Amino acid sequence: MSAVSNTGTIFKAIPEGLPNPDVHFEVIHRTIDIKNLKLDENDFILRNLYLSLDPYVRLTMREPQIDSYMPSNLIGHIMSGIGVSEVVKSNNPNHKVGDLVYGFIGWEEYTHIKTDAKSTNDYHFKNINYHKKLLKEIPLSYQVSLLQFSGLTSYGALMLLGKPKAGETIYISCAAGATGNLVGQIAKIKGLKVVGSTGTDEKVNFLLNDLKFDAAFNYKKVDLDKTLSELCPNGIDIYFENVGGETLDVVLKHCNRFARIPVCGMISQYNITNPKEKYGIKNLELTFHKSICFHGFLATDFIGSQVEKDFEKDMLEWVKSGKIICKENNILGIENAGKGFTDMLVGNNVGKSIVKIADY
Amino acid sequence: MSAVSNTGTIFKAIPEGLPNPDVHFEVIHRTIDIKNLKLDENDFILRNLYLSLDPYVRLTMREPQIDSYMPSNLIGHIMSGIGVSEVVKSNNPNHKVGDLVYGFIGWEEYTHIKTDAKSTNDYHFKNINYHKKLLKEIPLSYQVSLLQFSGLTSYGALMLLGKPKAGETIYISCAAGATGNLVGQIAKIKGLKVVGSTGTDEKVNFLLNDLKFDAAFNYKKVDLDKTLSELCPNGIDIYFENVGGETLDVVLKHCNRFARIPVCGMISQYNITNPKEKYGIKNLELTFHKSICFHGFLATDFIGSQVEKDFEKDMLEWVKSGKIICKENNILGIENAGKGFTDMLVGNNVGKSIVKIADY
């Protein structure tokens, strides 16, 4: 008997509004008999080490017939996400036993990567090229918290779409979150005045004391319009958009001519299931009054481009030299992924939320 | 007695909603004694020939304390706009009697350009460099209807922000208007599939028969969502945004990945005075789902850039060779400017609305 535990989290029910970890997810205790499991050609098995918890996953928790940029997760199936894993069995010449890889995994201890995957959910484990260039010189968790998609999202969008110039002012919403904190740190390196907002005083302190932002505030405690007038007296040149909704309407008023708005996400709207309850943006006319560029992106847009090469070089150098701090909200055990995910959605995290599934 | 008529139109009252030419404008019959009028240093007098009627002017008809990208027109003062004029008296070495110039003028027969202008309204007649390079080889009215700002708006935004590629699909709202009709014609030259919407069947025929658009429809008669599905089966790569409001929300659904949206204006919202009645855009999340670039601009952004040089060369060549048709909605007499302006706002025009003030 060589079966080992393969505890995982399945998608149990489609949430309206904020997911409840006890209602919309279910932890299941399965086993996997790795030794006796027969692999089809090109299949391989991953022992999962770290799972990344990202806001976009909320958008995959929907009815499958609703189209979006990411396939939906399917009820009754294992949740999918991005993670770091070790190949423990393989029938694939590109992925040898012992390789460390980065890519889509299940919210589970072991994931069987199938090349003939047919269900929507299996898509997550099929079409991605698993990265193998995992550096040994920095902690393995940094692959999900700082490098790869997480860092590329911040660096690529700021540099390519934000076009930062020293002396300019950037305002970052969700500034203590995974993307926001990195964007702020990079903007500091580039000589900008960095102003961030977040949802607790603890996180405000983190932004001011640890990350050395020029200004930070708890958006739940202030009038945004007044606060931006005070903290950004020269207007906003770059708004790094993570929240959408009313915040965006207010920020548009504070934008300077030729302001750039990289649109990373709009987390304030993700848990609004009824389209009628979504916030309608009324100040978009200001985009042409002030020649504002409002530019959506996905991290995958930057793959293979020069900005990805620059990112890999710069980020590694900054991390090694201590110019960039890696702030992780480390959740232990795959059985806590659901709660960690919903905590991240409401902002109960400082830095990047990751699940440590197993030791390496 | 050497005084001559100087009939003009003053701004009489701030409109709520659509301006009424009899209520919000007033035609005044004045005279000007050009011979005896004493000019300060650098002043000059223009005999106005053509006036351009542009949607942005609606945004200047507001309370002066409301900030916007253009100074407000002031109650009791002459309305301002862009036009073509002849210098008839001058104390300015740069503008000699007989010169033809392009720039800000009053809605009047003669405009006294003052260099010490102090009121908000006078600003319009002060800070602009009057262009003097008016070509003799094409009709003078083309300066306001096709060249200068009018054409640069269309060409600059399409080429620089729209980044058109042959074979792509462009959808243009207000397609029979001043900017829309030129954008469509340029897009055809560049090999795009051109789809336009407008508000009357007469204008649909103009788009299909005169401008050879690939498809056109009367937005008042169709369901936009369904119609775009039918006419743009491959999705929309460029949306040339002139209207805003619900149209934008629907178009976002039809945009392809990496779609570009040059934002020229949002005419559907200009006459909504109560901010609560403005339409709130709910589908902006699609900008990051699909990496859409939503880019506001003003024609002045392009001045002095390479795209302005390209424009001057290309447009002249296209007009001379007949590749571009110049469609003018010619209104006779400055006393009809107010009505022509409101007609343009509701779309009672085909092509560019201009006022012919005097013969040259």
Side-chain angles (χ1 to χ4, degrees):
Chain A
M1 180 63 188
S2 60
V4 293
S5 164
N6 188 16
T7 295
T9 296
I10 63 167
F11 183 23
K12 192 174 175 193
I14 293 171
E16 287 197 24
L18 186 71
N20 178 330
D22 299 325
V23 174
H24 303 106
F25 298 120
E26 184 177 2
V27 176
I28 51 165
H29 298 282
R30 305 164 301 176
T31 58
I32 182 170
D33 185 351
I34 296 166
K35 192 173 169 196
N36 294 314
L37 197 145
K38 196 167 153 34
L39 296 179
D40 286 335
E41 197 179 343
N42 291 320
D43 284 11
F44 51 103
I45 293 174
L46 298 175
R47 183 170 79 93
N48 299 322
L49 305 171
Y50 289 101
L51 170 69
S52 176
L53 296 178
D54 299 298
Y56 83 84
V57 173
R58 175 63 185 87
L59 299 174
T60 70
M61 298 173 70
R62 65 178 192 272
E63 298 285 354
Q65 67 271 23
I66 300 173
D67 197 31
S68 186
Y69 69 100
M70 282 291 292
S72 58
N73 270 289
L74 288 183
I75 296 292
H77 287 240
I78 204 81
M79 286 293 297
S80 75
I82 291 170
V84 169
S85 313
E86 179 188 12
V87 177
V88 289
K89 183 167 182 171
S90 179
N91 197 14
N92 185 315
N94 295 319
H95 297 294
K96 299 197 170 56
V97 170
D99 280 357
L100 288 171
V101 299
Y102 171 90
F104 279 101
I105 64 170
W107 290 18
E108 59 192 343
E109 293 177 276
Y110 293 89
T111 298
H112 181 170
I113 305 295
K114 297 168 191 158
T115 52
D116 67 343
K118 285 199 182 66
S119 82
T120 310
N121 226 47
D122 288 347
Y123 166 92
H124 293 293
F125 314 132
K126 183 190 173 194
N127 284 335
I128 293 293
N129 291 315
Y130 286 82
H131 281 240
K132 291 183 293 184
K133 293 187 307 176
L134 301 195
L135 302 155
K136 305 279 160 128
E137 53 213 296
I138 53 171
L140 194 59
S141 67
Y142 284 22
Q143 295 293 338
V144 285
S145 50
L146 196 73
L147 303 176
Q148 311 285 356
F149 280 136
S150 202
L152 184 57
T153 297
S154 307
Y155 183 99
L158 179 62
M159 300 305 291
L160 208 63
L161 311 180
K163 300 184 179 72
K165 294 177 204 71
E168 287 189 331
T169 298
I170 184 171
Y171 168 56
I172 304 165
S173 52
C174 299
T179 308
N181 95 80
L182 282 181
V183 169
Q185 293 189 72
I186 300 166
K188 282 302 295 174
I189 293 171
K190 296 291 171 185
L192 279 79
K193 173 175 174 175
V194 178
V195 178
S197 61
T198 183
T200 69
D201 292 347
E202 178 203 358
K203 291 194 278 187
V204 170
N205 288 336
F206 165 67
L207 296 178
L208 292 172
N209 301 331
D210 295 282
L211 302 191
K212 312 294 181 196
F213 276 28
D214 296 283
F217 60 92
N218 181 340
Y219 73 88
K220 292 174 181 169
K221 288 189 169 176
V222 303
D223 177 291
L224 182 63
D225 198 11
K226 273 190 203 166
T227 304
L228 290 178
S229 293
E230 284 162 21
L231 299 181
C232 307
N234 298 323
I236 293 169
D237 299 296
I238 304 174
Y239 169 48
F240 202 90
E241 166 66 303
N242 279 310
V243 298
E246 196 175 358
T247 300
L248 175 57
D249 252 352
V250 175
V251 171
L252 283 166
K253 295 200 285 177
H254 291 268
C255 279
N256 289 330
R257 265 188 72 65
F258 303 111
R260 289 81 67 195
I261 306 182
V263 186
C264 180
M266 294 190 171
I267 200 167
S268 73
Q269 305 298 299
Y270 295 173
N271 290 313
I272 301 173
T273 314
N274 182 346
K276 287 185 182 161
E277 289 171 10
K278 296 240 175 205
Y279 183 90
I281 304 291
K282 296 199 167 186
N283 287 337
L284 276 185
E285 281 185 58
L286 297 176
T287 57
F288 73 89
H289 294 193
K290 301 197 276 197
S291 301
I292 294 168
C293 181
F294 187 87
H295 205 317
F297 71 94
L298 300 176
T300 48
D301 298 349
F302 308 127
I303 289 179
S305 70
Q306 182 59 42
V307 83
E308 187 191 21
K309 293 190 189 92
D310 295 343
F311 157 69
E312 287 173 352
K313 181 178 161 295
D314 283 348
M315 188 58 86
L316 199 62
E317 185 187 308
W318 292 336
V319 170
K320 284 183 186 174
S321 66
K323 279 190 180 171
I324 291 264
I325 294 168
C326 182
K327 182 70 176 177
E328 291 175 346
N329 175 41
N330 217 320
I331 295 144
L332 293 181
I334 193 67
E335 64 276 16
N336 296 313
K339 182 168 186 314
F341 176 70
T342 52
D343 278 350
M344 180 273 300
L345 284 182
V346 294
N348 292 340
N349 59 305
V350 185
K352 170 70 186 176
S353 289
I354 62 173
V355 179
K356 181 173 179 181
I357 305 172
D359 283 321
Y360 176 63
Chain B
M1 180 64 186
S2 59
V4 293
S5 162
N6 188 16
T7 296
T9 296
I10 64 167
F11 183 23
K12 192 175 175 192
I14 294 172
E16 288 198 22
L18 186 70
N20 178 330
D22 299 325
V23 174
H24 303 106
F25 298 119
E26 184 177 4
V27 176
I28 51 165
H29 298 282
R30 304 164 303 176
T31 57
I32 183 170
D33 185 350
I34 296 167
K35 193 174 168 193
N36 295 314
L37 196 146
K38 197 166 152 37
L39 295 179
D40 287 334
E41 197 180 343
N42 291 320
D43 284 11
F44 52 102
I45 293 173
L46 298 175
R47 182 171 79 94
N48 299 321
L49 305 171
Y50 288 101
L51 171 69
S52 176
L53 296 178
D54 299 298
Y56 83 84
V57 173
R58 175 64 185 85
L59 299 175
T60 70
M61 299 172 70
R62 64 179 192 270
E63 299 284 355
Q65 67 270 24
I66 300 173
D67 196 31
S68 186
Y69 69 100
M70 282 291 293
S72 58
N73 270 288
L74 288 183
I75 296 292
H77 288 240
I78 203 84
M79 287 291 298
S80 76
I82 291 170
V84 169
S85 312
E86 179 188 12
V87 177
V88 290
K89 184 168 182 169
S90 180
N91 197 14
N92 186 316
N94 295 319
H95 297 294
K96 299 195 169 56
V97 171
D99 281 357
L100 288 171
V101 299
Y102 171 91
F104 279 100
I105 64 171
W107 290 19
E108 59 192 344
E109 292 176 278
Y110 293 88
T111 298
H112 180 170
I113 304 296
K114 296 167 190 160
T115 52
D116 67 344
K118 285 199 181 67
S119 81
T120 309
N121 226 47
D122 288 347
Y123 167 91
H124 292 294
F125 314 131
K126 184 188 173 194
N127 284 336
I128 292 293
N129 292 316
Y130 287 81
H131 281 240
K132 291 182 293 186
K133 293 187 306 177
L134 301 195
L135 303 156
K136 305 280 159 127
E137 52 213 294
I138 52 170
L140 194 59
S141 66
Y142 283 23
Q143 295 294 337
V144 284
S145 50
L146 196 73
L147 303 176
Q148 310 284 358
F149 280 137
S150 201
L152 183 57
T153 298
S154 306
Y155 183 100
L158 178 63
M159 299 305 289
L160 208 62
L161 310 181
K163 300 183 177 72
K165 294 178 204 70
E168 287 190 330
T169 298
I170 184 172
Y171 167 56
I172 305 164
S173 51
C174 300
T179 307
N181 95 79
L182 281 181
V183 169
Q185 292 189 73
I186 300 166
K188 282 301 296 176
I189 292 171
K190 295 292 172 186
L192 279 79
K193 173 175 174 174
V194 178
V195 178
S197 61
T198 184
T200 70
D201 292 348
E202 178 203 358
K203 292 194 278 187
V204 170
N205 288 336
F206 165 67
L207 296 178
L208 292 173
N209 301 331
D210 295 281
L211 302 191
K212 312 294 181 197
F213 276 28
D214 297 283
F217 60 93
N218 182 340
Y219 72 88
K220 292 175 182 168
K221 287 190 171 177
V222 303
D223 177 292
L224 181 63
D225 198 11
K226 272 189 203 166
T227 304
L228 290 178
S229 294
E230 284 162 21
L231 299 181
C232 307
N234 297 323
I236 294 169
D237 300 295
I238 305 173
Y239 169 47
F240 202 90
E241 167 65 304
N242 280 311
V243 298
E246 195 175 359
T247 300
L248 175 57
D249 251 351
V250 175
V251 171
L252 283 166
K253 296 199 284 177
H254 291 269
C255 279
N256 289 329
R257 265 188 73 64
F258 303 111
R260 289 81 67 194
I261 305 183
V263 186
C264 181
M266 294 189 170
I267 200 167
S268 73
Q269 304 299 298
Y270 295 172
N271 290 314
I272 302 173
T273 315
N274 182 346
K276 287 185 183 162
E277 289 170 10
K278 296 240 176 206
Y279 182 89
I281 303 291
K282 296 199 168 188
N283 288 336
L284 276 185
E285 282 185 59
L286 296 176
T287 57
F288 73 88
H289 294 192
K290 300 196 277 196
S291 301
I292 294 169
C293 180
F294 186 86
H295 206 318
F297 71 94
L298 301 175
T300 47
D301 297 349
F302 307 127
I303 289 179
S305 70
Q306 183 57 42
V307 82
E308 187 190 23
K309 295 191 188 92
D310 295 343
F311 157 67
E312 288 172 351
K313 181 179 160 294
D314 283 348
M315 189 58 85
L316 199 63
E317 185 187 307
W318 291 337
V319 170
K320 285 185 184 172
S321 66
K323 279 190 180 170
I324 291 265
I325 294 168
C326 181
K327 182 71 175 176
E328 292 175 345
N329 175 42
N330 217 321
I331 294 144
L332 294 180
I334 193 66
E335 63 277 15
N336 296 314
K339 182 168 186 313
F341 176 70
T342 51
D343 278 349
M344 180 272 300
L345 284 182
V346 294
N348 292 340
N349 60 304
V350 185
K352 170 71 186 176
S353 290
I354 61 173
V355 179
K356 181 173 179 180
I357 305 172
D359 283 321
Y360 176 63

